[in-house]
Amino acid sequence: MTISRRTLLTAGASAGLLTACGSNTGRDDDAGAGPKLSQWYHQYGEAGTEQAVERYAAAYKKAKIDVQWRPGNYDQQTAAALLTDSGPDVFEGSPTLDQIQGGQVIDLSDLLEDVRDDFNPAVLAPKTYDGKVWGVPQVIDMQLLYYRKSLLSDAGVEPPATLDALIDAAAKLTTKKVKGLFLGNDGGAGVLGGTPLYAAGLELVTDDGKVGFDDPAAARTLAKLHQLYTDESLLLGAPADWSDPSAFLQGLTAMQWSGLWALPQVQKELGDDFGVLPFPKDGSGAPAVPVGAYGAAVSARSRHQDTAKDFVRWLWVERTDYQEDFALSYGFHIPARISLAKKADKLKTGAAAEAVRFTGEHGYAQPLLWTPAAQTAYQDALSRIIKSGANPESELRTVVRKVSAELDRVKKKS
């Protein structure tokens, strides 16, 4: 699958320093009408996106913007480039805590002085550190649960509002030809991440920088995911994985966890015979919806930081027409600005409107303090719990120790 915005939402996505970057940055001052800036994007899978961002760049008159489409492992390329003088001036990404603490990106807080409250807080929070904004969110991607209305109705099943109800519904909807639920070919081990914890009323990291799931409720919730994996109501081994809605559309499953990007295709093929839900709550928790957003950031090594900042404000704050176009014309995403999401015609009715509501009421993003090391420790344990039936209590005790040590490490650097 071509890299797309949905990679932000996969549980294992992280940046590294493994891939060398090219030297063609366009950093020269022969542009005539101001400096020449290089702007990096990852390679989108949606047709027309590259042409759109080139059109936006051409409309900016204070500098010549050299748009670079970067195939391959984009996050690793960018992480390496930020350590050199040959990297981008402006780049699409989610600055990591190490990059912020290491002075590799610059503070963009002043760009949002008059509009900060208009950005969805779930996606702005992971780009905020020490009260400062280090990346301006571009669009919102999210995951949600699709269900086939007719199949649920025929089985006498209500759309599940709790995790226990989801497990029961999956069992009742399973027949010889149809499985009740599809969470990915690994039973959800790769995609669910912290979503079940948030649904249980917990979190990955607390506001004061501590482990947010050192609670018996975490083990109880994750144990239920193993139950789903073993009771033969989950679809496993589908032709395509969770991000592709084909298993749902082909009638292989009555319910599927996927992304907002799948909604236009689902609507086209199923009409009104589907609905969408957040991940259902467990115990005293609340429904949860994972959201993610790349942002526009500025390299601290840019020789034209003021111009680069002006370009970011122009494109991602002032040009709301481009922001809506970018979100909804080349795929299906939610604008990062609350006001734009509310007024966009494509998001006003049906499942799309529900998705917008979910992000506002139940959306969460991985916190900035949730580092790749913490992610790896948790993700490995989650996989063992779901797929191998490892003891949730002992697995989570180990994860809590590792994550606590990692949080202590990053807080010492601040």
Side-chain angles (χ1 to χ4, degrees):
M1 180 182 298
T2 305
I3 295 173
S4 73
R5 296 170 228 199
R6 72 198 59 171
T7 58
L8 276 176
L9 289 163
T10 57
S14 61
L17 297 173
L18 303 178
T19 306
C21 55
S23 59
N24 178 25
T25 67
R27 282 195 180 171
D28 57 84
D29 299 314
D30 60 0
K36 188 174 183 180
L37 303 179
S38 64
Q39 180 189 24
W40 284 17
Y41 287 90
H42 81 280
Q43 183 179 11
Y44 284 90
E46 296 92 342
T49 309
E50 183 176 8
Q51 292 74 22
V53 298
E54 289 175 345
R55 175 166 51 85
Y56 308 155
Y60 183 71
K61 302 304 181 184
K62 296 182 182 179
K64 180 174 177 57
I65 310 299
D66 175 34
V67 173
Q68 294 194 26
W69 213 239
R70 308 292 296 192
N73 193 322
Y74 175 80
D75 287 337
Q76 292 180 351
Q77 290 182 44
T78 305
L82 291 177
L83 299 174
T84 74
D85 291 327
S86 60
D89 295 286
V90 178
F91 66 96
E92 175 186 65
S94 294
T96 67
L97 187 59
D98 286 339
Q99 289 166 355
I100 295 169
Q101 291 179 332
Q104 297 171 33
V105 292
I106 66 172
D107 177 13
L108 303 180
S109 303
D110 57 322
L111 305 188
L112 305 186
E113 282 182 352
D114 51 346
V115 295
R116 188 162 175 166
D117 290 343
D118 193 36
F119 281 84
N120 186 299
V123 292
L124 185 60
K127 292 167 179 55
T128 305
Y129 178 69
D130 197 23
K132 301 174 182 178
V133 177
W134 304 90
V136 179
Q138 297 174 175
V139 296
I140 298 173
D141 270 324
M142 62 171 295
Q143 296 167 8
L144 66 172
L145 182 67
Y146 291 85
Y147 66 92
R148 191 77 174 264
K149 290 181 179 178
S150 59
L151 294 180
L152 268 67
S153 177
D154 291 346
V157 172
E158 293 292 325
T162 67
L163 182 55
D164 289 334
L166 178 67
I167 295 171
D168 291 342
K172 291 177 181 177
L173 291 164
T174 297
T175 67
K176 292 182 178 179
K177 295 182 178 180
V178 180
K179 289 292 187 179
L181 177 63
F182 183 43
L183 297 174
N185 285 324
D186 59 2
V191 67
L192 291 180
T195 302
L197 299 179
Y198 282 86
L202 308 173
E203 53 193 330
L204 294 173
V205 180
T206 63
D207 290 340
D208 57 354
K210 298 179 181 178
V211 177
F213 52 93
D214 188 7
D215 188 293
R220 289 196 297 268
T221 295
L222 298 189
K224 294 178 182 180
L225 300 181
H226 175 63
Q227 178 184 343
L228 264 173
Y229 187 82
T230 58
D231 70 3
E232 299 186 354
S233 59
L234 282 186
L235 175 64
L236 303 171
D241 214 342
W242 68 271
S243 62
D244 188 316
S246 58
F248 184 65
L249 297 175
Q250 293 169 12
L252 302 179
T253 181
M255 301 182 290
Q256 178 175 336
W257 186 254
S258 190
L260 181 65
W261 53 83
L263 195 150
Q265 185 179 356
V266 173
Q267 199 160 33
K268 179 180 178 181
E269 298 197 25
L270 298 183
D272 293 329
D273 189 22
F274 79 97
V276 294
L277 294 168
F279 192 89
K281 69 175 183 177
D282 191 38
S284 60
V289 172
V291 299
Y294 264 148
V298 175
S299 169
R301 289 181 177 261
S302 170
R303 291 188 287 115
H304 307 292
Q305 291 184 14
D306 289 342
T307 304
K309 287 178 62 177
D310 184 79
F311 173 64
V312 170
R313 178 174 172 84
W314 174 84
L315 180 55
W316 297 114
V317 177
E318 297 173 1
R319 292 303 302 259
T320 54
D321 54 339
Y322 288 163
Q323 294 159 38
E324 184 173 345
D325 179 66
F326 186 69
L328 292 165
S329 297
Y330 318 99
F332 203 74
H333 314 274
I334 300 173
R337 303 278 292 276
I338 297 171
S339 59
L340 293 182
K342 287 182 178 179
K343 77 172 189 176
D345 289 339
K346 293 182 179 180
L347 300 174
K348 286 183 177 179
T349 59
E354 286 288 276
V356 173
R357 182 173 66 84
F358 294 162
T359 62
E361 296 180 1
H362 309 304
Y364 85 91
Q366 287 190 0
L368 189 59
L369 289 174
W370 189 248
T371 66
Q375 171 65 30
T376 298
Y378 171 75
Q379 189 60 36
D380 289 348
L382 180 63
S383 182
R384 289 190 293 268
I385 292 168
I386 293 177
K387 299 173 66 175
S388 304
N391 184 280
E393 289 86 356
S394 59
E395 289 284 344
L396 286 172
R397 280 196 297 270
T398 300
V399 175
V400 167
R401 288 196 299 270
K402 290 181 178 179
V403 174
S404 294
E406 179 67 0
L407 290 173
D408 288 341
R409 179 189 70 84
V410 297
K411 284 186 286 188
K412 286 179 181 177
K413 295 175 63 176
S414 61

